[in-house]
Amino acid sequence: MTGELKDIKVLIIGLGKTGLATARFFARRGAEIVVTDEKTPAALGEAYGEIEALRKGAFVAYGSGALTGVNLVVPSPGVPPRNALLAESVRKGIPIQSELEVAARRIRVPIIAVTGTNGKTTTTTLIGKILEACGKKVFVGGNIGNPLIGYLDGPQDDDYIVCEVSSFQLQWAESFRPQVAILLNTTCDHVDYHGSFEAYRLVKESVFRHQQKGDFAILNATDPSTARLSESLSAGILFFSSIRKATPGIFLEGGDIVQQDISGKREAYPLSMIKIPGKHNIENVMASILATRVCGCSPDGIEKAVAEFKGMPHRIEYVAENRGVRFYDDSKGTNVGAVQRALETFPSPIILLLGGRDKEGDFETLRPLIRERVRELIIFGEARERIDSLVGGVVNTALMPTLKEAIMLAWGKSRAGDVVLLSPGCASFDEFSDYKARGRFFQEVVRSLPDE
């Protein structure tokens, strides 16, 4: 493997967690590393220092000169396809591969890949928990926080890799072949990155492109474009649906989740085993059951692991109750589809906190649900005026510059029985470093509210 890479020159665009892990990988195998980032070396801090310390590693100025003599370009996940350096690489015929592609080409362990607009982290984590509960040795990583490329420096002795995969990673993955691939859902997101919803959808669907007979594709039967994929895929098809019967696959029937194969053989799981709220989480569990059953997990082991699973932080996470008002943190809800799922979770009157940095979301599609479920709409942050132009006035609406001001206004307007829901539908970068920082801030402010 060292011989394969030691004589090439690799440009890595972006020095975040994935970019740094990618630089380490290539450096350990003798490649010449050049890294560039729009941030200054001072802003990059320790990461810049590590690159400069690498043997045959260098940080270079951001611009076309970074491509000089380069044999391979590896963009970090947040670098959009229309980036000038990527466009110049395409024009010059320099190969481009995502970190996912570089890693997957060299991994010997079966991969379970989870993608979709919403629910990826919950489903990826739950699959890992089920596999572990059933005695399997598992690595859980990818877009969930542990770059897949870092796995290559270990013994590769796991039974399975469970990998969360984003559209950013799939954009430059030309041969990625997971043995089990799941597409949870596709709703409008990252139009600012991909250029159009259609382009985004096609990239998501590419997770199945290189699967073969003997692999499994797990599809959402209620998404027409996803369901139609079954007509063209080589892998074995399994469906899941929370609203209709789906075979071969899994669906709701009475108080049970029922899995049925093509011969009619059935097994049932009690719906009551799911402890995390929302119909969308029923679908996440369904997809997880299908994936782990084809990996040999027992129904009893699956049921036990699902019953013990308490969900993920900042995903419709209960925070506190004060004066009969319940507060929920859905800071991870960074797109319109996530907001829809959060609103569908609560029958109680909702005070919705919506806003942040816009990703060109189609907020107008939320109008019927806001009218039905929301008592007060508070729009905050950088995108507040655009969002207001699309959904403002459907119910009582207020605009606030910051999240803290939005929280305080919500508290002032709330009454016993209300749910105050932070489900922003936007990125966090106008005020916060990421959705986690936004969620932690929300929780801190909520817990500091007076209880009188």
Side-chain angles (χ1 to χ4, degrees):
M1 188 174 292
T2 300
E4 172 196 359
L5 299 174
K6 71 175 183 177
D7 295 324
I8 71 168
K9 183 176 181 180
V10 182
L11 171 65
I12 298 165
I13 306 175
L15 193 51
K17 188 173 184 178
T18 298
L20 191 55
T22 304
R24 292 175 186 141
F25 167 80
F26 281 106
R28 287 168 182 156
R29 288 153 180 82
E32 181 181 353
I33 310 301
V34 288
V35 178
T36 192
D37 196 298
E38 290 182 309
K39 294 179 181 177
T40 65
L44 291 166
E46 292 181 5
Y48 168 76
E50 182 170 344
I51 293 300
E52 290 294 293
L54 288 176
R55 177 178 172 269
K56 299 173 72 175
F59 187 89
V60 298
Y62 192 86
S64 59
L67 291 167
T68 302
V70 165
N71 307 109
L72 176 66
V73 174
V74 183
S76 292
V79 180
R82 59 183 179 276
N83 172 272
L85 281 178
L86 293 180
E88 183 70 3
S89 301
V90 171
R91 191 184 71 78
K92 290 184 173 181
I94 303 172
I96 303 170
Q97 294 177 12
S98 66
E99 168 265 342
L100 175 75
E101 176 72 12
V102 173
R105 287 187 177 199
R106 296 163 175 84
I107 282 174
R108 302 186 299 270
V109 177
I111 295 175
I112 303 169
V114 182
T115 194
T117 307
N118 299 298
K120 296 186 296 296
T121 300
T122 297
T123 305
T124 301
T125 304
L126 178 55
I127 290 172
K129 297 287 187 187
I130 294 171
L131 290 167
E132 288 174 350
C134 293
K136 311 292 185 184
K137 190 174 180 182
V138 185
F139 173 84
V140 178
N143 193 56
I144 201 170
N146 299 314
L148 197 58
I149 204 162
Y151 184 76
L152 295 171
D153 288 321
Q156 294 202 46
D157 59 354
D158 293 286
D159 296 306
Y160 293 98
I161 289 170
V162 191
C163 181
E164 178 182 320
V165 180
S166 72
S167 61
F168 302 166
Q169 294 170 305
L170 288 169
Q171 181 71 42
W172 302 106
E174 60 193 39
S175 65
F176 178 56
R177 179 199 164 194
Q179 282 63 53
V180 180
I182 301 169
L183 179 52
L184 293 167
N185 46 66
T186 311
T187 59
C188 190
D189 196 15
H190 298 304
V191 172
D192 54 338
Y193 179 100
H194 292 285
S196 69
F197 172 60
E198 179 65 11
Y200 166 71
R201 183 181 64 79
L202 290 173
V203 169
K204 283 290 192 188
E205 292 174 356
S206 72
V207 71
F208 305 113
R209 183 180 299 154
H210 300 288
Q211 286 191 298
Q212 300 173 13
K213 187 176 180 181
D215 298 333
F216 290 93
I218 297 175
L219 307 176
N220 188 335
T222 61
D223 184 326
S225 63
T226 301
R228 282 196 297 270
L229 289 172
S230 63
E231 301 168 8
S232 58
L233 299 181
S234 299
I237 306 298
L238 296 170
F239 293 105
F240 66 92
S241 174
S242 61
I243 62 174
R244 66 178 180 83
K245 187 172 182 179
T247 55
I250 197 163
F251 52 92
L252 289 179
E253 189 173 271
D256 290 329
I257 296 172
V258 176
Q259 183 178 353
Q260 182 173 318
D261 65 21
I262 200 164
S263 71
K265 183 180 177 182
R266 294 157 63 97
E267 58 191 40
Y269 301 82
L271 192 57
S272 59
M273 71 180 178
I274 302 175
K275 302 300 190 291
I276 47 180
K279 184 181 76 173
H280 62 291
N281 277 320
I282 295 174
E283 295 176 346
N284 295 337
V285 169
M286 287 175 165
S288 300
I289 292 171
L290 291 175
T292 52
R293 283 296 280 137
V294 301
C295 293
C297 291
S298 68
D300 288 346
I302 291 171
E303 183 176 335
K304 183 175 184 295
V306 171
E308 292 175 351
F309 185 64
K310 300 300 189 294
M312 304 297 294
H314 313 301
R315 293 159 176 83
I316 319 184
E317 179 184 2
Y318 173 77
V319 178
E321 182 172 334
N322 194 335
R323 292 189 332 211
V325 179
R326 290 174 294 145
F327 293 83
Y328 285 84
D329 167 13
D330 190 39
S331 183
K332 183 62 172 68
T334 59
N335 56 70
V336 170
V339 179
Q340 177 182 335
R341 287 167 172 76
L343 291 175
E344 289 172 343
T345 300
F346 300 104
S348 306
I350 297 169
I351 300 177
L352 174 63
L353 309 186
L354 196 64
R357 175 163 291 174
D358 192 16
K359 297 193 291 182
E360 300 183 27
D362 53 347
F363 289 93
E364 65 275 13
T365 62
L366 292 173
R367 293 175 70 90
L369 201 53
I370 289 173
R371 187 177 293 110
E372 176 188 341
R373 302 284 177 108
V374 175
R375 186 169 68 76
E376 299 278 350
L377 173 61
I378 303 174
I379 310 173
F380 66 93
E382 194 178 275
R384 61 189 182 276
E385 292 186 1
R386 177 179 179 266
I387 299 172
D388 182 53
S389 73
L390 299 173
V391 295
V394 174
V395 295
N396 290 335
T397 304
L399 274 62
M400 303 302 291
T402 67
L403 175 56
K404 183 168 185 179
E405 290 169 291
I407 297 168
M408 300 311 296
L409 181 61
W411 177 234
K413 288 177 173 288
S414 66
R415 56 198 185 207
D418 284 346
V419 165
V420 175
L421 171 65
L422 170 66
S423 189
C426 290
S428 59
F429 305 124
D430 57 337
E431 283 192 77
F432 303 96
S433 59
D434 55 28
Y435 76 86
K436 296 175 186 176
R438 177 171 59 191
R440 287 193 297 269
F441 178 82
F442 175 77
Q443 295 195 21
E444 289 167 5
V445 174
V446 166
R447 292 190 176 112
S448 71
L449 293 172
D451 57 3
E452 298 178 359

